[in-house]
Amino acid sequence: MTVLDIKNLLDADVLSGDELLQKEVHSACGSDMMSDVLAFVKDQSVLITGLCNPQVIRTAEMMDIVCLVFVRGKKPDEHMLQLASEREIAVLSTQLPMFSACGILYTAGLRGGASIG
């Protein structure tokens, strides 16, 4: 699945990273707790979150996340968008709640990146 596929499935707006829409995404994680993301996310993931602060960008960078999707219409500020752009992380925003966004991506074939066990 590509970032463009995710944008289309979630009817999302691209806030940053138009040039990254063809990047491949191999798994997904839905969380507002960055400690869970750090513990369980694999590389080449999309992070679906409602948490809108710079720590999300920093966490995404550490975990090789290629795309952030902010749910419930949340939109990061210009500073966050600049950080994401510098780190080549696509940023999307959807009006959907997290549960729905995760369900749509799961139904389309994207699986979780968590390795809990």
Side-chain angles (χ1 to χ4, degrees):
M1 183 175 291
T2 65
V3 174
L4 180 60
D5 294 328
I6 292 167
K7 176 211 176 299
N8 291 336
L9 286 165
L10 301 181
D11 192 26
D13 296 322
V14 179
L15 304 179
S16 176
D18 283 314
E19 71 282 5
L20 304 171
L21 293 177
Q22 295 307 316
K23 274 192 142 180
E24 289 288 325
V25 176
H26 302 292
S27 61
C29 175
S31 183
D32 287 343
M33 295 189 61
M34 294 303 104
S35 58
D36 284 352
V37 175
L38 288 169
F40 301 116
V41 171
K42 295 179 184 175
D43 293 344
Q44 302 292 47
S45 289
V46 57
L47 173 58
I48 302 127
T49 187
L51 185 63
C52 201
N53 68 39
Q55 188 61 33
V56 174
I57 308 295
R58 305 275 186 220
T59 302
E61 178 184 22
M62 286 191 295
M63 302 309 295
D64 262 348
I65 289 170
V66 299
C67 178
L68 294 170
V69 177
F70 290 95
V71 295
R72 300 185 306 274
K74 296 208 175 174
K75 295 190 177 172
D77 63 24
E78 285 303 316
H79 174 69
M80 287 178 61
L81 292 175
Q82 181 64 34
L83 282 174
S85 178
E86 290 169 2
R87 285 145 181 85
E88 296 185 352
I89 301 167
V91 180
L92 310 179
S93 177
T94 181
Q95 293 296 320
L96 296 169
M98 188 184 305
F99 183 81
S100 298
C102 291
I104 288 167
L105 295 178
Y106 184 87
T107 299
L110 198 58
R111 296 300 180 248
S115 54
I116 301 169

